Each structure stands twice: as C-alpha cells, then as structure tokens.
Amino acid sequence: MAAPLLKKELIELILEKESPLQIKLDAEIPPTLTLDQKNALREIKAHQNKPILLHGVTGSGKTELYLNLAAEVIKDQKQALILVPEISLTPQMIERFQKRFANQVAIYHSRLTITQRIHQYQLVKENQVQIVVGTRSAVFLPFDKLGLIVMDEEHDYSYKQAETPRYHCRDVVLYRGKRHQALVVLGSATPAFESYARALKDVYHLVKLPNRINQEKLSCQIVDTKKALKAGQSHILTNQLLEAIALRLQAKQQTLLFLNRRGHTPVLKCNHCQEVLMCDDCDVALTYHQDNKLLICHICGKTKQLPQICPYCQTGSFSYYGFGTQKVVEELNKHFPQAKVVRMDLDSVAAAGSHQKVLDKFHKSGDILIGTQMIAKGLDYPNITLVGILNGDAYLIKDDFRSIETTYALLVQASGRSGRGDTPGEVLIQAYNQDHYALKLACQGDYDRFFRYEMQFRHLALYPPYSYLTSLTLLSKNENQLDLAADQIKTSLSASQFQILGPSQLIRQRNHYRKRITIKSKNLDEMLEVIHQHFASWQNIKSVKVIVDVNPLVWG
Ligand SMILES: [Zn+2]
Ligand SMILES: [Zn+2]
C-alpha cells in the first residue's frame, strides 16, 4: 500500500532503528545457597552425563540453582538457554536473570516484534550474549557453544506447539543437549508423568528439592462446598474462605483467588424450555460477560447480545448457572467494599494492555488478586499468605485421561503462590468432591504417592507413559463426508497391529463437524512409519481436513 504513495512522493520513508530491549546494567550479588540447594547442585554436577529431572516443591529455590548453573557455564565461555513456558506469565524469571547477569542476557519469545527478534537472534549468533531466557521457539536459536539448557516448569502444556509443526520443546531440548554435550535440567514441582517415569527408570537423573526455602510447610485444607451450600452459605465464597480473607485484610497481607473460568456466568438456561444458550458455530454454551454485557463463545470468540426472551421457545427468560471471575469480583466487592480487588484474566489483561500492568497494580496496592490459570505459576510475591482455589475439582470430570494429572499440577502450582515470604502460607481449596485423591494429595503436596496411584490407572488402560498415542482429528463442514472419511481411515489402519480407538464424535467448532481416531502403540517408531505411509492419502481426502498429532497433550 505504501509503495504507490512513495512513488508519487506523497509520503516519505524514514528508516528508524527500533531500540533494543531495555536492559539493566548493574549485576546483583548472589545470595548464599541453602544446604538443600548446595546438595542438589552437587548432585546435578556429578551426573552431567544424563538429563537431570529437578523435582523441587514450589518455593524451594529452583531458580537460584538455574542462576548458579548459568554462572558456571558462562565462566567456561559457553552459552546457557533458559526456557520458560510463557514469558508474560513468568516475568519474574527474566527479571532475576537480568538482575544477576545484566547485559549478558537476551530475551526471546513470540511477543517480540520482528525487529526485536532479529536483534536477539543476531546477539546469539554473534556470540554477544551468553544467556537466553525464552519460550519454546528459543530452542531453535543458533547457539554454537551451548553448555546448559534449563527447561523450567517442564510439565507445562505451552511447550507443545498447537499448530503445525506440532513439536514438543522437550524433545528438541534433549536432542540439542546431546548434540552440544550440554547439561540439560528439566525442572518442575509437578513433573509430567512421562518425565517422572523416565527418571525412575534412570533415563534421567532425579534430583530433589523437597523443602521450601523458608522451611515453612504450607497449611492446606479442603473446604466442602456441598456442606457449605446446605448450611445456607455461598458456593462462590464459603464462610471459611471469607473469614480467612478478612484476616488477611486486617493484617495487610495479600490474598490470591484462583478460578479457571473467565467471564461472569458460564451458562444461561431458559427457565421455560430448559435450553442452554449455545454458540451457533460451536457446540458450547455462551458465557455472559458483565463488563460489555455480551455473550461470548470461548472457542471462536463470536459475540451475541443477551436476548430478552428465549430464542428457542419464544416464552421463557434466562437463569444464570455457574460463575466466572467477574462474578467473584462482584461478590468480593459486596463483602469487602474497602478492599482493592484486581482481576487477572484474558479480558482484564487485554483491557490493561499487558499482564505486567495488571500485576504491578496488584503488587503496589492490591489486597486481593482473582485470576484464571495465568496467575497459577511463576508469581513470587512474599506478601501473599492466602491462596483460595474456587471450584478446585471442576476439571476432574473432563473427558481426557490427563485431566487428573493436570488438575493436580494446577492445584499445586496455585497453592505454591502462598507463603513465599517470612509469614507461613495458607491454602483453602473449595470443592464438591472433597474426597478425591488428587485433591487430597495435592493438599498434602505428596507428588510421589499421587504419581504411583494415578499410574496404576494409566497402566490398566495402557495410556502414556505406558504407550504412545497419535490423534487424527478430522474436520469438515459436511457431516456425511466426515463420517465416510473417518470410516475409510479406520479401515485403512485396521491392517496395522496397533490399537485403533474411535472414530469418536467431538463437539462442533467454528462451524466444522469433528471426529477423532486415536492410534495407540507401544512402539513409537513403528507407529510413525505407518503414519508416514498414510499421510499423503489423508491429506487428499475431499473437503475433509485431517490433523495428525503425535503425542498429543490437548484433547479438545
Ligand atoms: Zn426457552
Ligand atoms: Zn463459537
């Protein structure tokens, strides 16, 4: 568009160099390590020939170990790569590396502008920086003297790319680690089952940090929401949680409330015909958003005005079911009109412009932070002494064999935000199904027991890590053609020795019907070979798209 205007000399082109990312110049002096940290460090160094799985509870000081390892690597004139799940959700990791290593650090993630990205790329290529902190794509940067790769929160799903190429960052990390003979450290408070199983088989060397730095144990309790409801209390904020919040407000300490559901009300149901207001293009209920008074589909983003009468029966009006973050803010304002409540979810972050702005607001003057999963990890504010988890068991029922593992991880990560300073922390998990082992063991912080327990089910059903899966997701606007294609693919695979599951019906999304076929095998190489044989023919099916995902994590 600019070219013709330039030609006519109507506009002028001025080239301006975009300033590189701001970097602080004075490096801080490292703190003394605790005994646990010293031991862990010694063990890591003694087992450099294998990837290390660093299993450290939340608040155990894993980051300080990464900083130490990085310092040693750059002393040897080598480079260090520190991978984090999502830059905006882990701002404190960058800050700590920049504080320690000043201008030796490059930052690399997808939210940089192209110019910034090229600049950071050049810094690495020309060996001008020794350390890179970045998200999964940073694993492809042109290092030539890589001495260390750290993958923090290695269990996190954002390490797997959701679009083609659907690679998992961990696989590339292991490959590059081997090639450069670099030390690989995978760190987590809740390792992926695949990783923990490998560590128990001694494919990785397991190093543990079992205690928090402040030596305080988190006090965690499950609050029976059903019982509270029967006693006439609110199911959104039970009395026990309200009292705990009141105590924190009095003591000028901060509270973090976690609810993995944005918006105001997730379901609107007609009180006459009982129909739920659905998205026209996706088979999901629309969520009501109070701030713009709109119904929004959380799959495709389509919006709708709130209808006065039910469009299905033309008679009834709607009742509200469930609750989201906006509704919780409303409740908090009712109970604590003086408290400064900050909301952090996709909507509030979009309104504020960045995650950092929302977090700064809370850090400076907030009393209560209510947020979705974006507040569950990385936050390290010493004044948070209470974490309340609302609807803690809501994700156990998802139709996905990993839902219990992910619920456990989410609960532990969210809980871990409490009591990171000198004051002991408290965690309250509100749940309907308070006896579920995932909740109980998350509350006790007993990962080993949880792992052993949950692995029994994986073993019985032969799910990963006992097998490998590949999912074929078929999409089409034409339901008949989709059915035909699904049957055809299933038949073509039936000659193989693998177990073929499905085709199963998935919910419609963005006006596309969807089906899934899952291939299960104990031998990954053989499975990949068969997929390669068929791949071209799958891509040629008329009006049906086939998405192949090897080792899928998300089963939407
Ligand atoms: Zn109706
Ligand atoms: Zn939709």
Side-chain angles (χ1 to χ4, degrees):
M1 183 180 137
L5 296 175
L6 267 176
K7 224 173 171 181
K8 288 182 190 160
E9 289 181 18
L10 287 170
I11 57 167
E12 185 187 356
L13 185 67
I14 302 171
L15 289 174
E16 224 174 280
K17 212 172 167 187
E18 192 169 346
S19 61
L21 297 171
Q22 277 255 312
I23 284 162
K24 292 190 190 99
L25 283 173
D26 301 319
E28 62 163 17
I29 299 152
T32 337
L33 295 182
T34 63
L35 190 62
D36 277 348
Q37 284 174 322
K38 276 185 196 156
N39 289 337
L41 205 56
R42 198 176 312 128
E43 212 177 318
I44 291 173
K45 282 193 225 154
H47 295 88
Q48 302 222 13
N49 56 335
K50 258 182 215 176
I52 305 287
L53 179 65
L54 176 63
H55 179 213
V57 299
T58 56
S60 60
K62 292 187 284 294
T63 308
E64 194 50 53
L65 288 192
Y66 305 155
L67 289 159
N68 264 269
L69 290 168
E72 294 198 9
V73 163
I74 58 172
K75 231 193 288 161
D76 292 344
Q77 310 294 321
K78 286 187 174 172
Q79 297 162 305
L81 168 62
I82 316 297
L83 293 160
V84 290
E86 230 190 290
I87 274 307
S88 51
L89 305 187
T90 43
Q92 284 167 323
M93 180 70 92
I94 304 176
E95 211 180 293
R96 289 190 64 183
F97 270 86
Q98 286 188 329
K99 264 191 190 155
R100 187 70 53 88
F101 299 105
N103 48 5
Q104 299 177 77
V105 183
I107 312 293
Y108 194 85
H109 56 88
S110 57
R111 279 174 215 218
L112 298 181
T113 64
I114 294 283
T115 324
Q116 286 171 330
R117 257 194 265 185
I118 293 170
H119 180 74
Q120 304 302 82
Y121 185 93
Q122 291 296 353
L123 287 178
V124 176
K125 191 157 190 215
E126 288 156 18
N127 241 317
Q128 292 185 46
V129 286
Q130 278 68 51
I131 300 170
V132 175
V133 181
T135 49
R136 60 166 190 261
S137 55
V139 79
F140 296 112
L141 283 172
F143 299 100
D144 70 327
K145 282 193 274 177
L146 200 52
L148 168 72
I149 311 177
V150 168
M151 189 172 168
D152 191 34
E153 311 278 8
E154 67 89 35
H155 65 280
D156 198 276
Y157 279 18
S158 67
Y159 281 120
K160 166 111 192 197
Q161 178 149 301
E163 310 89 45
T164 309
R166 291 177 166 75
Y167 69 95
H168 198 298
C169 185
R170 195 193 294 116
D171 297 331
V172 189
V173 164
L174 295 171
Y175 175 81
R176 286 206 87 171
K178 210 176 196 175
R179 218 185 127 164
H180 293 265
Q181 291 182 314
L183 169 63
V184 169
V185 179
L186 310 172
S188 176
T190 51
F193 274 19
E194 280 84 350
S195 300
Y196 207 69
R198 282 186 170 188
L200 295 184
K201 277 198 199 154
D202 220 24
V203 179
Y204 303 154
H205 183 75
L206 184 62
V207 176
K208 292 195 177 199
L209 278 174
N211 305 305
R212 295 192 127 199
I213 286 213
N214 60 14
Q215 298 297 323
E216 297 279 0
K217 253 196 129 45
L218 266 179
S219 122
C220 178
Q221 231 185 311
I222 302 173
V223 183
D224 187 345
T225 318
K226 238 188 309 188
K227 210 162 132 195
L229 205 58
K230 275 187 199 149
Q233 299 176 23
S234 154
H235 64 294
I236 300 176
L237 300 165
T238 58
N239 287 4
Q240 193 176 344
L241 184 54
L242 287 171
E243 280 157 26
I245 296 172
L247 279 178
R248 295 323 184 285
L249 290 172
Q250 248 169 37
K252 300 243 169 300
Q253 293 167 5
Q254 291 172 305
T255 296
L256 189 146
L257 296 179
F258 172 76
L259 171 67
N260 216 356
R261 178 152 249 167
R262 66 195 170 99
H264 184 275
T265 314
V267 176
L268 291 165
K269 200 173 180 185
C270 171
N271 47 29
H272 180 73
C273 70
Q274 306 299 319
E275 285 287 342
V276 169
L277 260 183
M278 306 283 281
C279 173
D280 296 335
D281 293 342
C282 314
D283 292 335
V284 294
L286 292 164
T287 298
Y288 179 60
H289 284 238
Q290 176 77 30
D291 37 7
N292 45 18
K293 309 231 175 335
L294 282 177
L295 293 159
I296 303 178
C297 170
H298 282 184
I299 299 278
C300 71
K302 243 190 170 176
T303 58
K304 240 188 201 180
Q305 299 287 343
L306 182 65
Q308 293 299 319
I309 54 161
C310 169
Y312 306 111
C313 66
Q314 311 292 345
T315 328
S317 59
F318 290 99
S319 300
Y320 299 84
Y321 290 89
F323 59 94
T325 44
Q326 294 179 5
K327 175 83 180 163
V328 180
V329 173
E330 238 175 66
E331 292 288 307
L332 287 167
N333 288 337
K334 252 188 254 165
H335 289 283
F336 310 108
Q338 317 296 341
K340 290 199 186 80
V341 180
V342 178
R343 198 183 91 221
M344 184 158 170
D345 53 30
L346 273 182
D347 308 303
S348 75
V349 165
S354 79
H355 294 79
Q356 199 52 50
K357 281 187 188 149
V358 181
L359 286 177
D360 284 347
K361 192 169 146 200
F362 170 68
H363 186 50
K364 275 188 203 119
S365 61
D367 295 309
I368 304 168
L369 178 67
I370 160 88
T372 53
Q373 72 206 42
M374 55 174 71
I375 63 169
K377 54 193 151 197
L379 293 193
D380 192 354
Y381 294 130
N383 204 27
I384 297 176
T385 57
L386 171 67
V387 166
I389 298 170
L390 316 181
N391 267 354
D393 52 350
Y395 302 94
L396 294 172
I397 42 171
K398 260 180 84 182
D399 182 23
D400 169 358
F401 72 92
R402 279 198 186 88
S403 65
I404 293 173
E405 182 188 347
T406 44
T407 299
Y408 180 90
L410 210 54
L411 293 177
V412 169
Q413 299 292 340
S415 305
R417 304 308 113 212
S418 184
R420 296 176 81 94
D422 298 329
T423 319
E426 186 184 5
V427 178
L428 294 174
I429 303 176
Q430 292 189 164
Y432 288 91
N433 190 357
Q434 56 154 358
D435 291 325
H436 198 285
Y437 62 92
L439 264 62
K440 281 187 165 169
L441 294 172
C443 216
Q444 291 160 15
D446 196 341
Y447 176 86
D448 281 276
R449 246 178 87 195
F450 173 69
F451 175 82
R452 285 200 304 273
Y453 199 88
E454 183 63 14
M455 280 288 269
Q456 293 173 9
F457 299 109
R458 299 282 179 94
H459 189 229
L460 279 174
L462 262 193
Y463 272 123
Y466 291 101
S467 67
Y468 296 95
L469 302 178
T470 292
S471 81
L472 310 176
T473 308
L474 284 66
L475 306 158
S476 180
K477 285 188 176 174
N478 184 321
E479 209 174 357
N480 288 335
Q481 267 165 336
L482 180 75
D483 292 345
L484 272 173
D487 292 340
Q488 198 187 321
I489 290 177
K490 169 133 184 171
T491 317
S492 69
L493 283 169
S494 57
S496 69
Q497 71 277 41
F498 313 128
Q499 199 184 339
I500 312 294
L501 309 169
S504 58
Q505 193 85 39
L506 302 178
I507 59 160
R508 195 168 51 107
Q509 279 187 0
R510 297 180 173 87
N511 208 13
H512 280 78
Y513 297 95
R514 304 186 309 145
K515 280 196 161 182
R516 182 171 53 223
I517 294 170
T518 306
I519 310 171
K520 194 195 256 184
S521 169
K522 292 202 105 178
N523 189 322
L524 181 63
D525 292 332
E526 280 174 18
M527 183 165 73
L528 289 175
E529 210 185 295
V530 170
I531 290 166
H532 279 297
Q533 282 166 17
H534 288 86
F535 188 76
S537 69
W538 292 340
Q539 300 307 307
N540 289 329
I541 303 174
K542 212 181 131 218
S543 57
V544 176
K545 190 176 174 190
V546 181
I547 297 169
V548 181
D549 193 354
V550 180
N551 299 328
L553 286 179
V554 180
W555 296 84

